[in-house]
Each structure stands twice: as C-alpha cells, then as structure tokens.
C-alpha cells in the first residue's frame, strides 16, 4: 500500500526552473532523519517554480516546501498532507512565495506554516475538510512591506513562546475582512508600522485618459468595508473552526497575550474587532490586548470585546480613540499607568468590572462626548498623583477620584498647573479617603452654569446615583451620606 513519505520528491536549487500544470503529486516528502520537520513533495530551495491546476496530497510533512528562490502557485489543491499543505522557511536567497485561488483540506497542523522573513503573498484561497486550518505565522520578524489578505485566517504563533514581530522599518498591512487568530499565549510585537484598516478605497479601471499634454491614469474607486478580526484560536464564530476541535473549546478572555506597540512603533486600527486577549505572565499592570509602551496607536470605529483585565494599556506613548466601543472587558476598557497622552472622542463603554477606564494622574487625558451604559461599574477613575499640566475635565462619563489609599495619597493639581472642570461635568469621590489637593501655585477652576441644571458641575459621592447614574454599579445597595468623601484641599498660595 502506498503511504506518505514513500519517496523524497523533486528539489530545485539555485538557478533552476520548474513548471507544473495539471500535475498530481502524492505520497512523497520522505526525509533522511526523523528530526527533520520540513519537507515537501516539491521543494524549492532557490529556483523559479510555477505550479497551476495541480494537486498535492499525502506528503509526509507538506505538499510543497519553499525555502528559497521564487514560487508561484495558483488554482492548486493541497489535501491530506500529514502536517501542512505548504511550508516556507527562509535563507539568504529566498524570494517571494505567491499563492492564489488554491484549496486546502485535511491537514493536522494547518493549511500552511510560514517562517520568519518569508515574503508571503496570498489571496483568494479557501479551506475545507477536517483538521486544523490557517496560515501559521511562526515566531520571528515578518518580511518588510507585507500585506495580509482575507480568506484563510492567519494564525499567530505555534505556542505560548511565539511572537510575530514587525521590526523597525517594516510595514504590515492588513486588508479589510482579514482574520488573525492567536494561539494560546502568543503575541505580536510592533516596532515598525501596522496598518489594520477594515475599510479602504481601492482603485479599479483601465487607467486610460488624458489631461492636457500629459497622459495620466484615470481610475474609479470603490469603498471596501469589512471588519478585521484579532481573536482567539478557539473562536469559531469568524474564520471557522481553525483549531479543528469542533465544540471542544470555547474562547475566553486572556486566551492570548497582546499586540505591543513599542517606542518607534505605530499602529492604525480602523473597523477592527479585538477579542479575548490580554493574558500575561508578568505583573497585572501589564495586562491589555493592545499594549502601548512608548509607541503611537490610532483607533477608529472599532470594537474591543471580552479582553482580560483591559482592552487597551498605556505606559508612555500616545493613544487616540474615536467612535469605538469597549464592552465586557473584565476590569476596565482602558488602563493608563502614567505618562503619555490618551485622547477619547465619541466612544461607548459597556459592562466593566472596575470602571470604564483607569487614568493615572500623570496621563495627559483628553476626552469628550463619551458614554457609558449597561451593568458593572462606570466612570473614568483618576488615580493618585499629580495631574498632568493644565487638564480639562468635560461632561459625559463621570470622573471618579480614586480612594482606598493612605492619608497622604490624593489627586493633586501641581504648582503652576490648572485643572479646569467644565460645565455639566460630574466628579464623584470613591470613598472617605478621596480628595483633590491644590498645591501652592496650582489653580482649580470650576465653570458651571446656574441657569441650567444640566450645565451645573457636581462634586458628589460615588454612591450618588441621582447624577451621572449608578457609577459604582451596585443598584440600590448603597446610598450617599455625609462623610462619604473628604473634598478639596487648597494649600497656602493656591
């Protein structure tokens, strides 16, 4: 009986050429040692190989192995190869691997495994059958100027030690409709540029036409809108049953780690859904599915759902978020540990265990027109410490002055700085240790309007549900009373 690995296969070296059309390759991929984990019925190690309208099945490791040269595969089927349909690694002579309009089915580890630095170009591929699915992007640097397209999901990492890295100078573009799933404990590390836009204008047309004496292309543009998903390998609701285990597992907050944006990194997320991330083995302050550690992140019209502890984490750097929703993250929607700039416009927060956001006092925090609803606790919790210079607090979601600390811990308006509380703003104090202290040389300005109840500024208890809603999320279990909080201290010369 024939079996996988009955023979080795065909290997192409540097300078060679291969063309396959209407070919069936089966039962190959033998290796000379059991420790060798990569092989294929066809192996390109440096040549130029084209494959079309063909089929590769029952290979010992993979149907096709690309480790060098240039490979173009189209309209081809990969079925029942033992590990993957296709595998790709890199060497100093590795050219692009282009894969289009092909079908993958019945592989034990995934549709493909793509190693670091492989210039992988794919679109319009589909998957079916049993087994695991997805293009597994193994740990290491992506090649410069990579584009990920919709179709078969991309799978981040092989295990908890895996991290996809976008290095400084590289750009990873993720097009509308693309699905990225992460194995348990895996992550993405960004020091270059990530462009994840779930809506984009795409040119189409002949490019003909003329203007004056110079001919220039004339194109029409179509708007493509399809959300991009970052989610767990256990999430079968998008991209199908990628881990191939049916209903044996379900996604949960903290299934994978995070996308870290380091100093020099820049991430753009538009029409993106981020789910089930936030795991980390280090101190809880590091939790967050998008973790900004000195980089820049812009988020527009996106959703952050069921992440562990918080969806966004800021420790230096800059985050701008508009028209987005944070829901069912276990502690906060956003957590800022200090420094950096956080700007929030027209976002909604729903059902968080500790509050809508925790904002360290030293954060340059700018927010307007945000809303909070649903069960759980609400409010922008302002942590102890000296406020960033010249802050403005605006109406909308209440500000909650942190409590529970020692007698000397307070939210402070520093010398030479001004805190302006604008009309209609609600400020609640968390407990009987909560207070705002205005230091010598500091200024507090409260700008209400007596002519309108909705434009008055309220300084009140965390237990007061009559303004700003049920901020502490306990229904009628508690009521406000004298001595619920301390108040505002003005130091000499303030």
């Amino acid at each position: 009986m024939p079996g996988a690995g009955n023979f080795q296969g065909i290997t192409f070296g540097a300078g060679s050429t291969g063309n396959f059309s209407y070919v069936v390759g089966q039962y190959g991929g033998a290796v000379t040692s059991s420790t060798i984990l990569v092989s294929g019925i066809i192996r390109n190690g440096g040549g130029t190989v084209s494959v079309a309208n063909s089929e590769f099945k029952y290979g010992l490791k993979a149907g096709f192995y690309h480790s060098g040269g240039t490979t173009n595969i189209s309209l081809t089927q990969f079925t029942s190869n033992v590990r993957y349909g296709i595998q790709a690694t890199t060497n100093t002579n590795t050219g692009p691997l282009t894969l289009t309009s092909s079908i993958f089915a019945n592989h034990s580890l995934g549709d493909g495994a793509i190693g670091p630095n492989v210039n992988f170009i794919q679109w319009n591929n589909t998957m079916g059958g049993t087994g695991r699915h997805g293009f597994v992007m193994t740990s290491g640097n992506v090649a410069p100027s990579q584009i990920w397209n919709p179709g078969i999901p991309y799978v981040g990492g092989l295990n908890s030690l895996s991290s996809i890295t976008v290095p400084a100078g590289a750009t990873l573009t993720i097009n509308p409709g693309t699905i990225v799933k992460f194995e348990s404990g895996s992550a993405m590390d960004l020091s270059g540029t990530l462009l994840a836009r779930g809506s984009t204008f795409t040119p189409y047309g002949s490019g003909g036409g003329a203007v004056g004496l110079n001919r220039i292309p004339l194109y029409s543009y179509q708007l493509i809108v399809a959300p991009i998903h970052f989610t767990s390998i256990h999430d079968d609701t998008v991209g199908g049953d990628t881990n191939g285990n049916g209903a044996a597992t379900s996604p949960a907050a903290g299934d994978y780690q995070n996308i870290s944006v380091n100093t020099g990194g820049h991430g753009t997320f538009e029409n993106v859904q981020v789910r089930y991330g936030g795991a980390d083995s280090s101190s809880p302050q590091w939790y967050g599915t998008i973790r900004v550690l000195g980089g820049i992140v812009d988020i527009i019209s996106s959703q952050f759902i069921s992440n562990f502890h918080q969806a966004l984490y800021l420790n230096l750097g800059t985050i701008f978020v508009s028209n987005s929703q944070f829901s069912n993250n276990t502690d906060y929607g956003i957590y800022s540990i200090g420094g950096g700039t956080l700007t929030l416009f027209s976002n909604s927060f729903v059902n968080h265990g500790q509050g809508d956001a925790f904002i360290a006092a030293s954060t340059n925090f700018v927010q307007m027109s945000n809303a909070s609803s649903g069960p759980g606790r609400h409010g922008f919790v302002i942590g102890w410490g000296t406020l960033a210079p010249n802050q403005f607090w605006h109406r909308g979601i209440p500000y909650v002055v942190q409590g529970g600390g020692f007698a000397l811990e307070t939210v402070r308006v520093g010398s030479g700085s001004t805190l302006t509380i604008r009309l209609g703003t609600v400020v609640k104090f968390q407990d009987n240790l909560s207070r705002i202290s205005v230091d010598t040389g500091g200024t507090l300005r409260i700008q209400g309007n007596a002519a309108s109840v909705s434009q008055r500024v309220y300084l009140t208890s965390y237990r007061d549900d009559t303004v700003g809603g049920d901020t502490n999320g306990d229904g009628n279990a508690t009521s406000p009373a004298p001595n619920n909080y301390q108040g505002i201290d003005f130091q000499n010369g303030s």
Side-chain angles (χ1 to χ4, degrees):
M1 294 288 292
N6 280 169
F7 65 98
Q8 290 191 14
I10 302 173
T11 300
F12 292 88
S16 62
T17 301
N19 290 281
F20 298 84
S21 182
Y22 297 97
V23 171
V24 176
Q26 55 190 15
Y27 302 116
V31 294
T32 56
S33 169
S34 61
T35 61
I36 297 175
L37 300 179
V38 291
S39 73
I41 300 170
I42 307 296
R43 312 173 191 182
N44 186 8
T48 300
V49 178
S50 297
V51 179
N53 299 294
S54 295
E55 183 177 4
F56 297 93
K57 54 188 179 181
Y58 309 124
L60 181 62
K61 306 296 183 181
F64 194 105
Y65 174 46
H66 170 92
S67 64
T70 298
T71 299
N72 288 279
I73 301 173
S74 64
L75 300 166
T76 293
Q77 184 166 332
F78 296 85
T79 308
S80 301
N81 300 285
V82 172
R83 290 166 64 87
Y84 299 99
I86 191 166
Q87 280 187 282
T89 59
T90 57
N91 62 34
T92 55
N93 189 36
T94 302
L97 165 62
T98 303
L99 179 64
T100 60
S101 303
S102 295
I103 300 171
F104 294 79
N106 307 339
H107 299 103
S108 65
L109 297 183
D111 300 313
I114 310 301
N117 293 307
V118 173
N119 184 10
F120 180 50
I121 304 164
Q122 73 85 22
W123 67 90
N124 200 35
N125 299 290
T126 57
M127 62 189 185
T130 60
R132 293 174 69 93
H133 299 288
F135 293 128
V136 179
M137 312 305 290
T138 60
S139 186
N141 292 346
V142 300
S145 302
Q146 283 296 281
I147 298 174
W148 290 1
N149 289 309
I152 294 176
Y154 296 80
V155 177
L158 292 169
N159 51 52
S160 61
L161 299 177
S162 295
S163 179
I164 301 170
T165 301
V166 182
T171 297
L172 172 60
T173 300
I174 302 179
N175 277 331
T178 300
I179 297 167
V180 182
K181 297 190 178 184
F182 290 90
E183 288 281 1
S184 297
S186 62
M188 179 180 288
D189 194 72
L190 177 62
S191 295
T193 299
L194 173 64
L195 301 175
R197 293 192 176 107
S199 56
T200 185
F201 284 96
T202 300
Y204 68 96
S206 65
V211 174
L213 298 176
N214 299 315
R215 291 187 61 82
I216 63 171
L218 294 180
Y219 293 100
S220 297
Y221 287 83
Q222 59 182 342
L223 176 63
I224 298 176
V225 179
I228 294 166
H229 290 85
F230 293 91
T231 189
S232 165
I233 190 71
H234 303 299
D235 185 359
D236 300 345
T237 65
V238 290
D241 182 19
T242 310
N243 62 359
N245 69 353
T249 57
S250 299
D255 273 350
Y256 61 97
Q257 291 193 32
N258 46 57
I259 301 172
S260 293
V261 185
N262 306 310
T263 300
H266 190 174
T268 298
F269 300 84
E270 180 179 352
N271 193 20
V272 167
Q273 287 193 11
V274 179
R275 311 175 183 174
Y276 304 119
D280 205 312
S281 58
S282 59
S283 168
Q285 70 181 22
W286 292 100
Y287 289 111
T289 303
I290 295 182
R291 186 172 70 173
V292 179
L293 307 176
I296 299 171
V297 167
D298 298 306
I299 298 169
I300 302 170
S301 301
S302 295
Q303 293 180 303
F304 297 84
I305 305 167
S306 298
N307 295 284
F308 193 44
H309 283 284
Q310 47 267 337
L312 303 184
Y313 172 89
L314 175 64
N315 182 7
L316 303 177
T318 301
I319 298 178
F320 174 89
V321 190
S322 70
N323 297 293
S324 295
Q325 184 182 70
F326 298 82
S327 60
N328 300 300
N329 303 290
T330 58
D331 286 346
Y332 297 96
I334 303 171
Y335 192 100
S336 170
I337 195 174
T341 297
L342 173 63
T343 304
L344 305 177
F345 286 131
S346 300
N347 303 292
S348 64
F349 295 81
V350 181
N351 192 22
H352 295 102
Q354 300 299 322
D356 299 315
F358 179 90
I359 312 296
S362 60
T363 305
N364 181 23
F365 180 46
V366 181
Q367 74 85 21
M368 292 184 69
S369 303
N370 298 287
S372 181
S373 63
R377 295 184 180 181
H378 303 284
F380 294 134
V381 180
I382 308 300
W384 307 308
T386 301
L387 292 168
N390 303 320
Q391 291 293 288
F392 290 82
W393 289 2
H394 294 276
R395 67 191 305 169
I397 293 176
Y399 294 79
V400 177
V401 177
Q402 186 182 17
F406 300 104
L408 296 179
E409 290 179 324
T410 180
V411 174
R412 314 187 73 89
V413 181
S415 177
S417 182
T418 299
L419 170 61
T420 302
I421 303 178
R422 304 299 297 271
L423 53 82
T425 301
V426 176
V427 180
K428 297 189 178 184
F429 293 79
Q430 205 165 48
D431 61 25
N432 62 4
L433 293 177
S434 299
R435 73 184 194 274
I436 295 173
S437 180
V438 185
D439 290 346
T440 300
T443 301
L444 173 63
R445 292 182 179 145
I446 300 179
Q447 301 174 331
N449 184 349
S452 172
V453 172
S454 66
Q455 293 184 350
R456 293 175 183 172
V457 172
Y458 288 87
L459 308 177
T460 189
S461 167
Y462 193 42
R463 301 177 180 183
D464 184 359
D465 301 345
T466 65
V467 289
D470 182 18
T471 310
N472 65 356
D474 69 349
N476 297 321
T478 57
S479 299
N483 202 36
N484 276 170
Y485 64 95
Q486 292 191 13
I488 301 174
D489 297 337
F490 289 89
Q491 305 302 315
N492 184 35
S494 62

